[in-house]
Amino acid sequence: MNFASMAPQDAWIERLAPGGRLVMPLGVPSEPVRPNGPRFSRHGGIFVVRRQEGGFEAAYLCRAFFVFAEGGAQLIDMAEEERLEEAFRRGGAELVRSLVWKRPTDPARCWLCTPRWSLSYEPIGGKEWKRGGPKR
């Protein structure tokens, strides 16, 4: 992707092939710089998600600021935007180990927790994943 989004879209996650990776810029939008102009990320970072047997591994790569996505795909309620902004302000994204998709999870074990998806500190299947691959 070459834009920031507040959340992954269903197709991005559900169509990810086993072993496939998604480089996912997440961001919180700012106000437009001019009327009807582009919005940029106020807070942002890049995460990589990899589909594995048993779930989705996730890792934070770095801070990043992008032009923010526009349109129907970004119709997310204000509560989700506030959760994401608070997560970026709080810090700790580098501790993310998995993406929890469409199932409940313990908010105390997450960097970001929403009703639909979460970025968790817990690795899937007890394996830790770093950029070079799984670490047992």
Side-chain angles (χ1 to χ4, degrees), residues 30-111:
S30 65
E31 294 299 317
V33 292
R34 63 183 181 279
N36 298 319
R39 297 185 308 160
F40 297 91
S41 300
R42 182 170 62 231
H43 299 281
I46 298 177
F47 292 81
V48 63
V49 175
R50 184 168 65 173
R51 183 178 215 135
Q52 294 289 69
E53 188 174 318
F56 298 93
E57 295 173 328
Y60 174 76
L61 297 179
C62 63
R63 288 180 54 185
F65 300 91
F66 286 81
V67 172
F68 200 78
E70 301 287 339
Q74 288 305 301
L75 299 177
I76 295 178
D77 65 45
M78 290 302 296
E80 286 200 23
E81 182 176 336
E82 289 169 6
R83 284 184 193 106
L84 183 57
E85 182 162 16
E86 174 56 31
F88 277 114
R89 285 186 179 171
R90 185 178 60 248
E94 67 279 0
L95 302 174
V96 167
R97 298 294 175 256
S98 64
L99 179 138
V100 179
W101 188 248
K102 294 188 176 179
R103 62 182 171 82
T105 190
D106 179 2
R109 301 299 307 143
C110 293
W111 177 74

